[in-house]
Amino acid sequence: MEEKEDILRGMFAKMPRHIKWCLISGVLSGILIHAYMLTNKLPNWDDINNVGGFAVGSEFGRWFLKYVHHLDGIWSVPWLSGLFAIGMISVAACMVLSALDLRSITSAVLVPLMMLSFPSMCSLFTFMFTADCYAVGILLACTAAWLIRRYRYGFVPGIVLVVLGMGIYQAYLCLALGILVCGLFLDMLPEEAEAGKIFRKGAATFLILLASVVVYTLVSMAIFPELESY
């Protein structure tokens, strides 16, 4: 009788060594860094006021929140939402590593560690009722940057992912932008780097992100014409 292959085990086995280190480092460091929030319930005003909900929605231009809110349940459960968020951000760190073509074990350990210990990330876990949703937004932004940098026509799905990420939280446009700008700086480091080629790549990146903002704005206005001034 033919044995069925373990899909997750097979995927993990095919990962490059530095990506494995990144994923494992992210999960372990995330659990250690956010252990208090995972093992305690420390609600803030938003967490208390939005039991079973996701706070703001289409009126704030965050129309994609309602779709990702159900991925791991609608309730603010620290272990469930927290581990889900840590997993998503660890995968996002792998995308950053690949987008910037960082292959050292040092970078594989430090990138997820920095992402998960960044002050705004620690703040995110105080909003446990939507931490999982925003972690998905971070993953979408990082994956978009990876697609744009790694594939010739990656800007097409990249624009889609940036738009969806902004539909969760608009600030994730800046996350994608930050990764892409870091990539341009790294492209300039080799002695054989061509300034003209890098300038054209930077201009193309600007146009891609500009198109993402235009598409996002049109979609947001179509879904909720009178957006909040916020």
Side-chain angles (χ1 to χ4, degrees), residues 9 16 30 32 44 47 51 65 80 84 90 99-100 120 123 169-170 187 200 202 228-229:
R9 184 178 180 180
L32 289 173
N44 57 24
D47 207 28
V51 177
L65 260 177
L80 180 60
F84 181 87
S90 298
L100 301 180
S120 60
S123 175
Y169 191 49
Q170 295 90 335
D187 291 340
R200 290 192 296 272
E228 292 283 342
S229 59

Side-chain angles (χ1 to χ4, degrees), residues 5-24:
E5 183 183 356
D6 189 325
I7 297 176
L8 292 179
R9 184 178 180 180
M11 290 173 60
F12 187 78
K14 293 177 182 178
M15 287 181 184
R17 183 165 171 260
H18 64 289
I19 297 297
K20 290 180 183 178
W21 273 90
C22 181
L23 187 61
I24 294 171

Side-chain angles (χ1 to χ4, degrees), residues 27-199:
V27 172
L28 293 180
S29 63
I31 292 174
L32 289 173
I33 292 167
H34 302 289
Y36 182 84
M37 295 305 296
L38 294 176
T39 56
N40 293 273
K41 184 61 181 171
L42 187 65
N44 57 24
W45 167 252
D46 282 348
D47 207 28
I48 297 172
N49 198 42
N50 292 283
V51 177
F54 50 88
V56 299
S58 300
E59 70 279 9
F60 279 76
R62 302 181 194 174
W63 37 266
F64 198 52
L65 260 177
K66 61 183 177 183
Y67 298 106
V68 298
H69 184 58
H70 294 273
L71 285 177
D72 61 346
I74 63 174
W75 306 108
S76 179
V77 183
W79 264 110
L80 180 60
S81 299
L83 288 178
F84 181 87
I86 290 171
M88 292 294 101
I89 297 164
S90 298
V91 176
C94 294
M95 293 298 178
V96 173
L97 210 67
S98 183
L100 301 180
D101 200 24
L102 301 174
R103 299 178 180 272
S104 69
I105 299 302
T106 303
S107 61
V109 172
L110 290 181
V111 167
L113 181 61
M114 288 189 293
M115 288 180 65
L116 281 154
S117 62
F118 201 73
S120 60
M121 189 62 65
C122 295
S123 175
L124 176 67
F125 280 84
T126 65
F127 297 85
M128 193 60 78
F129 72 105
T130 52
D132 48 352
C133 301
Y134 292 134
V136 172
I138 291 170
L139 176 58
L140 290 174
C142 294
T143 304
W146 172 71
L147 287 168
I148 292 168
R149 279 190 57 81
R150 300 286 290 187
Y151 297 99
R152 183 176 181 181
Y153 297 105
F155 68 90
V156 177
I159 289 174
V160 174
L161 294 186
V162 170
V163 170
L164 293 178
M166 291 179 69
I168 294 176
Y169 191 49
Q170 295 90 335
Y172 294 142
L173 170 70
C174 299
L175 175 58
L177 176 60
I179 297 168
L180 293 169
V181 169
C182 285
L184 290 172
F185 278 120
L186 291 174
D187 291 340
M188 291 189 290
L189 292 180
E191 292 183 3
E192 64 275 12
E194 299 177 16
K197 183 178 180 181
I198 295 173
F199 177 80

